[in-house]
Amino acid sequence: MDNADNRKIDYAEYFPSGHRGSIIITTRNQECLNHSTVGHKLLDRLEVEDAITLLLKASGLDEDLWPLQQNAAKEAVNVLGLHALAIIQAGAFIRKSLCSLEEYPHEFQLQRQRLLRFRPEQAQSIHGDVYATFEVSARVLEESSDQKDIDALELLGMLAFLHFDSVPELLFTKAWDYAREISKGGEEQSHQDITTLSQIGRAHV
């Protein structure tokens, strides 16, 4: 059971009956320790070797080149604080050939320094690494003329107003279908329908 973080759900209801097999739960909810029968393990930062392997895999580099990239990868994962999500985001950035593995630490440091100027001292935690890796990617989208990148940035702007968990696909499909209907009507009808479309969006949010 992955990401069992909702405090309002009793996850025991989903446990299969019987005494055979094992159940693994990943969660940020400390109350889930009540379900533990064999102990638990706190997962914080990755081990250096595991972090390097994760970055090399996420970067899409040929395995034959891994021995030559060990030093560059080690520098990058240390800059990223050995944080798994930050490493995966960095790997995706490198895989898209937006910069090389060797160049990434410099790009990251530039964005992180800019971000931390606007963050209070108490918020400069390991999660800042995730914010910075995300910011690096977002900045590239802003500078791109590729329509897919422009669309992705527009989508991020909309998602920023929604709760991060379980954004309904129906929200977008209904808005898209209704927008196509608007384009078929006259100017007066379109003006009225856009108001209705806005109300539909708020209702689904």
Side-chain angles (χ1 to χ4, degrees):
M1 303 183 70
D2 193 22
N3 295 325
D5 299 329
N6 193 327
R7 296 179 181 275
K8 297 181 179 180
I9 296 177
D10 180 6
Y11 291 99
E13 295 181 4
Y14 300 96
F15 294 172
S17 59
H19 302 286
R20 302 175 61 183
S22 302
I23 300 172
I24 298 176
I25 300 177
T26 63
T27 180
R28 297 177 182 85
N29 182 3
Q30 292 291 322
E31 294 181 8
C32 283
L33 290 177
N34 294 333
H35 303 309
S36 175
T37 58
V38 294
H40 69 281
K41 181 175 179 60
L42 176 64
L43 300 176
D44 189 10
R45 300 173 185 232
L46 296 173
E47 297 294 332
V48 174
E49 292 303 319
D50 292 336
I52 290 174
T53 300
L54 178 61
L55 178 59
L56 293 172
K57 285 183 177 180
S59 300
L61 299 176
D62 192 313
E63 287 193 35
D64 294 338
L65 300 177
W66 286 12
L68 301 176
Q69 297 288 343
Q70 289 291 312
N71 290 336
K74 184 176 182 179
E75 179 183 358
V77 298
N78 283 326
V79 165
L80 295 170
L82 304 176
H83 193 290
L85 179 56
I87 290 171
I88 290 172
Q89 289 179 345
F93 187 84
I94 296 168
R95 180 189 287 267
K96 199 174 179 182
S97 301
L98 298 173
C99 76
S100 68
L101 180 58
E102 292 83 359
E103 294 168 341
Y104 191 86
H106 176 66
E107 291 291 329
F108 173 82
Q109 292 285 19
L110 286 178
Q111 300 300 334
R112 191 170 192 274
Q113 290 174 8
R114 186 176 73 83
L115 283 178
L116 293 182
R117 289 203 304 269
F118 302 99
R119 293 174 60 78
E121 290 296 325
Q122 294 303 314
Q124 296 187 29
S125 66
I126 187 173
H127 300 293
D129 302 328
V130 180
Y131 301 145
T133 55
F134 184 83
E135 180 74 5
V136 170
S137 301
R139 294 278 289 191
V140 171
L141 293 179
E142 288 177 348
E143 298 169 2
S144 174
S145 59
D146 188 294
Q147 187 59 49
K148 290 182 179 179
D149 293 341
I150 295 172
D151 291 343
L153 196 61
E154 187 73 19
L155 181 59
L156 286 176
M158 290 186 284
L159 292 175
F161 292 93
L162 304 175
H163 191 273
F164 64 86
D165 188 31
S166 301
V167 177
E169 182 179 345
L170 186 64
L171 173 70
F172 300 101
T173 56
K174 277 194 170 293
W176 173 254
D177 291 340
Y178 203 79
R180 294 175 65 185
E181 290 298 321
I182 290 174
S183 64
K184 298 177 183 178
E187 182 177 346
E188 182 178 352
Q189 178 188 355
S190 296
H191 176 74
Q192 295 173 349
D193 285 353
I194 286 175
T195 303
T196 306
L197 178 63
S198 178
Q199 292 171 350
I200 289 175
R202 286 196 298 270
H204 280 86
V205 173

